[in-house]
Amino acid sequence: MTIEANSVPQRVLITGATGFVGGALVKSLSDDLRYLPIAVMRSKIRAAMHNAPTVYIADLSSTTDWSGALKGCALVIHAAARVHVMNETASDALAEFRKVNVAGTIRLARQAAEAGVRRFVFISSVKVNGECTDGGRPFSADDLPAPSDPYGLSKQEAEDALRCVSAETGMEVVIIRPTLVYGPGVKANFRSMMGWLKKGVPLPFGAIHNKRSLVSIDNLVSLITVCLSHPRAADQVFLSSDGVDLSTTELLKKTAAALGVRSRLIPVPARLLTICAIVAGRRSLSQRLCGSLQVDIRKNQTVLGWLPPVAIDDALKRTANEFLGRD
C-alpha cells in the first residue's frame, strides 16, 4: 500500500500490550506507517514497547477511566483479558471472568464510542464456539456459540455486549476468535512441549489421529491488521488458524524437525491415554491432546481476501529458533 507523504497515522489503542498477542501487535504496527500504536500497560515498571507511546491503566473493570488513553484514537484493539487458567482457584470463577472480560470490556467500548473511535477489534476466543469438533465438522464463524467453561462464556457475553454497544452508538465492532496461538516467545504448554522434545524425552503420543487448528502469531497479527481497515470486516466475526490442521502426533514431529532433533514418540492408543487422564482427574488435558478442534477460515478469504501469509513449517521454524536462542 502506498502511503502519501502528508498522511497522518491513525492512533490505535492496544490493550494487553505486554501480553503475547498484544506485544506482537505493538511491534508490527510500529513498523506500519498507517498506524501509531498506543500501548496500554498495567505497570510503569515494564519497559517501553518498541518505542510506541504508552499509557498506564491499573485495572480492567466497570469503573476504569479510559478517557485519557482514548484521546485522538480512531481504532481500538482489545486484547487484554482475564485468561483461561488450568487450575482455577476462585470460588466463583465465572464472576471473576465477568468482572474483567465482560464489565471491563463494556466500559472500554462505551468510552471508546464516546471518544469517537471508529472501529473496535475484539480478540475473543475459539472457546466461544466450543471445546471440540470430534464430530468431524469444523467450527465456522457463524455457528451458534456453545461455550462450556466460565472463560468461554465470559467471552461470549462480551461479544454480545459489544454488538449492543455497536447498535446503540454506530461504532464498528470486529470479533476475532483465535485458536491456539504459538510463535517466537510463546510460553506455557507449547514451550514446555519444545523443552521435552529438545531433551529427547519419550512421549506417549505417537498414535493420535485427531485434528487441531492452531495459528502462528504472525498470521494472527496479519488478520487483525487487515480487520483494522477492511470495509467489509465491520460487524463481522472471524476465526483464525494457519489453514492447516494437524494431529498431536504430527505437531510433535514437525516441531521436533524444526528444533533439529528426532522425536521419540511411543504409539500408545489414544483411547488408553484418555482413560488414564480421566482416572488421574485430567479429562480436559486428554481432550486437548487427543480430541479434535478444527476451524473453517474460508470466510476470511471470501469476505476479506485474506489467506495466512506464513506457512506452518516456517512459523514452527521461527518459533524453534527463538527457543534455541538463534534469533
Side-chain angles (χ1 to χ4, degrees), residues 12-292:
V12 186
L13 189 76
I14 302 176
T15 71
T18 56
F20 184 45
V21 175
L25 281 164
V26 173
K27 183 178 186 299
S28 178
L29 295 185
S30 293
D31 296 329
D32 190 326
L33 296 179
R34 295 172 296 174
Y35 303 111
L36 174 63
I38 311 298
V40 177
M41 307 167 73
R42 294 186 62 185
S43 171
K44 294 184 180 182
I45 297 175
R46 299 297 294 266
M49 300 289 295
H50 309 289
N51 297 317
T54 56
V55 294
Y56 302 97
I57 300 292
D59 64 357
L60 182 63
S61 71
S62 61
T63 60
T64 304
D65 181 8
W66 293 92
S67 56
L70 288 163
K71 187 175 181 180
C73 289
L75 305 160
V76 169
I77 303 174
H78 184 33
R82 184 179 194 268
V83 298
H84 176 71
V85 292
M86 291 294 297
N87 299 304
E88 180 62 67
T89 58
S91 58
D92 188 345
L94 180 56
E96 295 303 312
F97 279 117
R98 281 173 168 159
K99 288 177 185 177
V100 176
N101 297 350
V102 184
T105 298
I106 294 171
R107 175 73 169 183
L108 171 59
R110 291 200 175 279
Q111 292 197 339
E114 292 170 2
V117 167
R118 184 177 73 256
R119 180 170 291 187
F120 189 105
V121 179
F122 179 57
I123 310 304
S124 187
S125 169
V126 73
K127 284 179 169 288
V128 172
N129 287 80
E131 293 291 334
C132 64
T133 55
D134 289 331
R137 188 182 75 84
F139 289 134
S140 75
D142 299 317
D143 285 343
L144 290 176
S148 62
D149 69 359
Y151 172 71
L153 182 58
S154 72
K155 284 292 194 177
Q156 180 201 341
E157 292 177 354
E159 289 184 10
D160 292 342
L162 286 172
R163 292 187 185 97
C164 291
V165 173
S166 177
E168 294 169 7
T169 66
M171 181 177 68
E172 298 171 350
V173 168
V174 185
I175 294 166
I176 298 175
R177 298 176 188 158
T179 50
L180 172 68
V181 186
Y182 69 98
V186 68
K187 305 296 183 185
N189 291 339
F190 203 100
R191 199 167 192 88
S192 297
M193 176 190 75
M194 290 192 290
W196 299 332
L197 291 169
K198 184 67 173 64
K199 292 175 182 177
V201 176
L203 300 172
F205 306 127
I208 300 177
H209 306 295
N210 60 344
K211 288 294 180 183
R212 296 191 75 87
S213 301
L214 59 162
V215 63
S216 75
I217 189 67
D218 291 329
N219 285 334
L220 178 57
V221 167
S222 171
L223 176 60
I224 294 169
T225 303
V226 169
C227 286
L228 280 177
S229 61
H230 199 295
R232 295 186 64 193
D235 306 317
Q236 295 287 341
V237 177
F238 299 101
L239 303 181
S240 69
S241 86
D242 289 332
V244 177
D245 299 335
L246 301 176
S247 68
T248 299
T249 301
E250 290 169 331
L251 175 61
L252 288 165
K253 288 180 177 179
K254 282 183 175 290
T255 305
L259 289 165
V261 299
R262 183 174 65 89
S263 59
R264 302 181 65 188
L265 304 180
I266 303 169
V268 178
R271 183 173 178 80
L272 178 58
L273 288 173
T274 300
I275 292 171
C276 292
I278 292 172
V279 170
R282 305 295 300 275
R283 181 187 293 270
S284 61
L285 177 62
S286 72
Q287 174 58 45
R288 287 192 301 279
L289 290 172
C290 302
S292 293

